Amino acid sequence: QVQLVESGGGLVQTGGSLRLSCAASGRSLSSQTVGWFRQAPGNEREFVARMRSSTDTLYYADSVKGRFTISRDSAKNTVYLQMNSLKPEDTALYYCAADRFRQGIRSNQYEYWGQGTQVTVSS
């Protein structure tokens, strides 16, 4: 099993930045696909970003391309989501997720999930 804990969320103004962390235990993330998803109240959970390895092509939702960056610190078994130029529409509960084999952008392609960290962007 893999346990995931997100942190780093908070309240920022439009144009600000946050870095979210996803700390893993139980298994190494080095052989996992790790994705970030977000969900606002009343909305469906949507894909944000994904990576699998240091040589894997990073994949981002169109809505965050050029603004968000996913990265990993293998020594800390932690994946990050750097969010820049934040917009009010980025406001959501952000989740990290992992899967051993699949490399998807749909929530049902990820086996392990954290509890989420709230990001709120004000005008």
Side-chain angles (χ1 to χ4, degrees):
Q1 285 278 40
V2 176
Q3 295 80 45
L4 304 173
V5 179
E6 303 96 335
S7 62
L11 174 65
V12 297
Q13 296 182 22
T14 297
S17 298
L18 285 173
R19 188 180 72 166
L20 306 184
S21 298
C22 176
S25 61
R27 299 279 184 85
S28 172
L29 292 178
S30 62
S31 61
Q32 307 269 333
T33 299
V34 178
W36 285 94
F37 293 79
R38 65 188 183 186
Q39 187 169 21
N43 292 352
E44 298 295 322
R45 189 172 300 178
E46 65 176 349
F47 168 79
V48 175
R50 184 206 73 200
M51 72 179 301
R52 182 165 180 84
S53 70
S54 60
T55 59
D56 183 46
T57 300
L58 305 182
Y59 197 87
Y60 299 93
D62 288 342
S63 59
V64 306
K65 285 181 179 177
R67 300 189 297 120
F68 290 12
T69 303
I70 187 171
S71 62
R72 173 166 52 206
D73 185 337
S74 296
K76 297 182 180 295
N77 206 24
T78 298
V79 172
Y80 304 97
L81 184 69
Q82 179 67 46
M83 306 185 296
N84 298 324
S85 302
L86 284 163
K87 306 174 181 179
E89 50 263 47
D90 295 318
T91 295
L93 186 65
Y94 282 71
Y95 299 90
C96 65
D99 193 86
R100 279 270 295 157
F101 303 108
R102 294 170 289 185
Q103 302 180 51
I105 58 173
R106 299 189 296 273
S107 60
N108 63 5
Q109 295 176 300
Y110 290 81
E111 182 177 6
Y112 307 107
W113 291 84
Q115 296 302 304
T117 184
Q118 179 67 39
V119 172
T120 302
V121 184
S122 63
S123 300

